[in-house]
Amino acid sequence: MYRNAGRLAAATVALALTTAACSSSGSGSSSNPSTSASGSSAFQAQHRGGTLKLVAHAAAGSFDPQVNYTLQYWQLYQTMYDGLLSFKKVGGQESFTVVPDLAAALPKVTNGGKSYTFTLRKGITFSNGKALTTADVVASFERIFKVSSPTAGTFYNGIVGADACLKKPATCTLAKGVTGDAKANTVTINLTAPDSEFEYKLAVPHASILPADSPTKDAGTKPLPTTGPYMAASYDPNRELKLVRNPHFKEWSREAEPQGYPDVIDYTFGQTVESEVTAVENGQADWMYDPPPADRLNEIGTKYASQAHVNPLTAFWYATLNVNLAPFNNKLARQAINWAVDRSAVVRLYGGTNLASPACTILPPGFPGHVDSCAYTKGGGTTWKAADLAKAKALVKQSGTAGQEVGIVVQDDDVNKSIGQYLQSLLTQLGYKATLKPLSGNIQFTYIQNTKNKVQLALTSWYQDYPAASDFLNVLLSCASYHPGSDSSINISGFCDKGVDAKMQTALKTAQTDLKSANTQWGAIDQQIMGESPVVPLINPKLIDFTSKRVGDYRFSKQFYMLVGQLWVK
């Protein structure tokens, strides 16, 4: 999933933060003294209540869970919206485990892996007071296509009838693909072929179950009814988002959807990062979303070390090179950028070696399919050592693209802007006329996806939806993810290679019976795509969560990050 702000910290913070990191990334609870040391999963009623105050520089656009594709809101949706299945709401490695959510049990899989039958739990009610029925489930799957969800063509295109829905979203019917039996309280989903990742895809917010009468277009700033412990009382992307308790929620599964602790979650937008840090330090805010600025890192790492939680991420920051526009419709020009970028410089701009490392591949280290390999490093090898500017300049000359104009689109926060300025000076050095276009994080991600905006180079990032190699390679760089003229075209480079696509399909098929072999195939696909150079992997980040003194029970899910609803503020 896309994350619409980076988290920054610097080497100055590192030593003080390592203590916090040791426990926060392992058990999912930190060394903060107010945190539950036992990591007990039982609800502790004495901590229920209060208002949790979150702050961010910008909102993250549409609040529609089937449309929004940002970590900023996917993190919140964990305590609002539910699918048939869910990732376990715990800290650590177990958070990659899929458990039944609105379904009473994991599905019964028949028909050679092509049919999934779910029995719905009884007694679940939406926040608008309507009971959950099989009709809501059927309508929600059709709605994925009607609203042109960003993953309709990659996650859910294997459902019977999806092809027609992708061609004509407005008239989508999955009559043979998703069927409900109201009497038996069951829903069956039929696929055209087995899919070893289908349960993961049912556990992310794009497969949220919404009321059947939900609008069949992007709901935008008008929040839709929820099934989880919280619902949105109001949302103004310029000011704030207010979550309150869903009066109809009763905990049905502690693993899938635990009841929340705060009575109110208040998320304020429009802050400067400086004011966010000050607010957390003074206890006026409980958590900040954005990168702390460099001049505040030392105090966070020393005076407030017990409130800083560091966690490594399966993610990468990268530059997209538009393969359909000059100069990057020339492979040599694309390769030149990969040779020229000093990844160590980007690591420094992000915050230092304790919070990022240079990236050479699309698949991050520690992720299925990742191979230590570095196609663009001086002197060759499996890890990044240094840029080769001479080689890059020779390739630009050979490509005949020198002197051409290149626009670079970044977000307007300090970290993204500083990396953008570095890329601008580098492209100028290579002989291009480079200009920088910083945009608000609220709009940059949709802007860089739409081909109408003719974006040549963009800085963006990708954080896993679920632990499978296809979630990086197939989602970001397959032909199915490229939709010209749409705000939901996640293949921002416009890279569509039929040969690579065929190999991806083979790897997906192999995964049904032999995951190890499939991951070997994905590793080779990663290297083949790097040869074509539609993207420039820059760094693999780590994350700092900076919380207030009054926050307890910090838990870090590897899947969706800090579990917002599980924080204590009382």
Side-chain angles (χ1 to χ4, degrees):
M1 91 207 74
Y2 165 68
R3 171 175 190 73
N4 72 328
R7 305 294 188 81
L8 168 75
T12 47
V13 150
L15 290 172
L17 290 181
T18 41
T19 28
C22 292
S23 59
S24 66
S25 57
S27 66
S29 62
S30 86
S31 56
N32 184 333
S34 64
T35 300
S36 154
S38 64
S40 166
S41 60
F43 187 77
Q44 300 186 42
Q46 70 271 28
H47 292 292
R48 182 185 162 111
T51 297
L52 179 69
K53 295 174 181 171
L54 315 178
V55 286
H57 174 60
S62 168
F63 205 64
D64 191 321
Q66 292 191 326
V67 173
N68 189 283
Y69 208 176
T70 70
L71 177 71
Q72 188 170 355
Y73 287 170
W74 275 33
Q75 189 173 25
L76 292 183
Y77 293 158
Q78 297 316 300
T79 201
M80 298 179 72
Y81 294 101
D82 295 278
L84 293 168
L85 304 176
S86 161
F87 285 93
K88 212 171 176 179
K89 307 290 193 304
V90 291
Q93 200 63 32
E94 261 196 278
S95 56
F96 282 147
T97 309
V98 172
V99 293
D101 192 354
L102 297 177
L106 288 173
K108 188 180 174 192
V109 184
T110 54
N111 189 22
K114 292 192 288 187
S115 295
Y116 287 69
T117 301
F118 299 86
T119 301
L120 297 190
R121 292 184 196 268
K122 288 183 174 146
I124 293 179
T125 307
F126 286 104
S127 55
N128 62 1
K130 291 183 181 174
L132 171 81
T133 67
T134 57
D136 297 310
V137 179
V138 173
S140 294
F141 278 94
E142 291 177 346
R143 187 178 185 273
I144 291 171
F145 297 94
K146 287 177 179 174
V147 299
S148 297
S149 179
T151 51
T154 46
F155 285 11
Y156 311 106
N157 58 336
I159 297 173
V160 171
D163 282 3
C165 288
L166 286 165
K167 285 191 189 102
K168 289 188 177 174
T171 57
C172 174
T173 169
L174 296 170
K176 291 178 180 170
V178 184
T179 57
D181 181 336
K183 203 173 169 189
N185 204 31
T186 60
V187 172
T188 300
I189 302 175
N190 296 308
L191 305 181
T192 55
D195 179 355
S196 60
E197 296 168 12
F198 193 57
E199 290 188 1
Y200 287 149
K201 295 167 185 175
L202 294 179
V204 298
H206 287 164
S208 292
I209 304 305
L210 304 166
D213 60 0
S214 296
T216 53
K217 60 180 198 300
D218 181 351
T221 59
K222 197 177 174 198
L224 298 166
T226 66
T227 42
Y230 295 96
M231 62 183 202
S234 60
Y235 177 43
D236 175 352
N238 297 312
R239 290 183 56 240
E240 79 171 329
L241 167 68
K242 189 177 185 180
L243 305 185
V244 295
R245 289 192 183 277
N246 166 5
H248 300 281
F249 177 78
K250 289 183 185 72
E251 186 180 277
W252 58 79
S253 162
R254 187 122 193 95
E255 288 187 335
E257 190 62 288
Q259 58 180 302
Y261 283 103
D263 284 339
V264 177
I265 299 172
D266 196 17
Y267 207 149
T268 312
F269 311 118
Q271 309 267 340
T272 66
V273 282
E274 288 281 354
S275 68
E276 287 178 56
V277 176
T278 304
V280 175
E281 288 179 352
N282 293 343
Q284 295 157 313
D286 297 306
W287 174 78
M288 61 180 287
Y289 179 73
D290 298 288
D295 63 347
R296 305 299 291 275
L297 295 169
N298 194 43
E299 72 201 61
I300 292 173
T302 51
K303 202 171 166 189
Y304 301 94
S306 66
Q307 294 162 233
H309 317 266
V310 184
N311 297 280
L313 305 175
T314 41
F316 83 137
W317 280 47
Y318 66 108
T320 62
L321 305 176
N322 192 327
V323 303
N324 301 309
L325 289 178
F328 302 125
N329 54 358
N330 186 310
K331 184 161 103 172
L332 300 177
R334 298 196 301 271
Q335 290 176 332
I337 309 301
N338 254 308
W339 282 110
V341 169
D342 181 348
R343 273 108 174 139
S344 292
V346 181
V347 166
R348 282 195 298 278
L349 292 168
Y350 185 77
T353 53
N354 290 278
L355 283 154
S357 54
C360 285
T361 53
I362 298 157
L363 295 172
F367 203 69
H370 170 83
V371 177
D372 286 337
S373 145
C374 207
Y376 302 98
T377 187
K378 200 170 189 175
T382 56
T383 55
W384 193 84
K385 292 189 280 291
D388 194 332
L389 213 52
K391 190 158 194 163
K393 284 178 176 173
L395 285 168
V396 170
K397 193 177 177 185
Q398 205 183 328
S399 72
T401 59
Q404 292 185 16
E405 291 182 5
V406 178
I408 302 167
V409 183
V410 300
Q411 283 176 52
D412 65 358
D413 64 89
D414 296 350
V415 185
N416 280 277
K417 216 155 67 179
S418 65
I419 297 171
Q421 285 161 346
Y422 162 70
L423 292 171
Q424 183 186 10
S425 69
L426 182 69
L427 264 75
T428 304
Q429 234 181 314
L430 292 174
Y432 295 109
K433 293 173 186 162
T435 51
L436 190 63
K437 184 173 185 174
L439 296 176
S440 162
N442 199 29
I443 59 164
Q444 190 253 8
F445 188 52
T446 47
Y447 182 90
I448 62 177
Q449 290 182 74
N450 199 317
T451 53
K452 290 174 186 166
N453 297 320
K454 297 187 165 37
V455 175
Q456 294 155 291
L457 191 157
L459 174 64
T460 190
S461 57
W462 192 252
Y463 293 65
Q464 103 288 329
D465 293 307
Y466 54 78
S470 65
D471 185 52
F472 279 76
L473 298 168
N474 187 45
V475 169
L476 296 180
L477 292 154
S478 67
C479 300
S481 291
Y482 179 54
H483 309 287
S486 162
D487 280 356
S488 297
S489 184
I490 199 69
N491 181 344
I492 299 161
S493 301
F495 176 78
C496 174
D497 181 309
K498 293 291 196 295
V500 170
D501 250 43
K503 286 182 181 178
M504 291 202 217
Q505 290 307 313
T506 302
L508 286 165
K509 203 169 178 184
T510 305
Q512 292 157 23
T513 52
D514 186 350
L515 201 54
K516 198 177 172 190
S517 296
N519 283 334
T520 304
Q521 291 171 15
W522 285 117
I525 292 165
D526 190 346
Q527 289 170 68
Q528 186 178 348
I529 293 173
M530 284 312 301
E532 294 300 316
S533 197
V535 295
V536 184
L538 299 170
I539 58 166
N540 298 117
K542 294 178 189 174
L543 175 79
I544 285 189
D545 279 320
F546 184 38
T547 56
S548 74
K549 262 201 173 68
R550 71 190 195 121
V551 164
D553 204 36
Y554 174 92
R555 289 165 190 265
F556 186 83
S557 152
K558 289 195 165 201
Q559 178 59 33
F560 294 116
Y561 304 0
M562 183 182 78
L563 296 173
V564 176
Q566 295 308 295
L567 293 179
W568 303 337
V569 287
K570 189 183 170 192

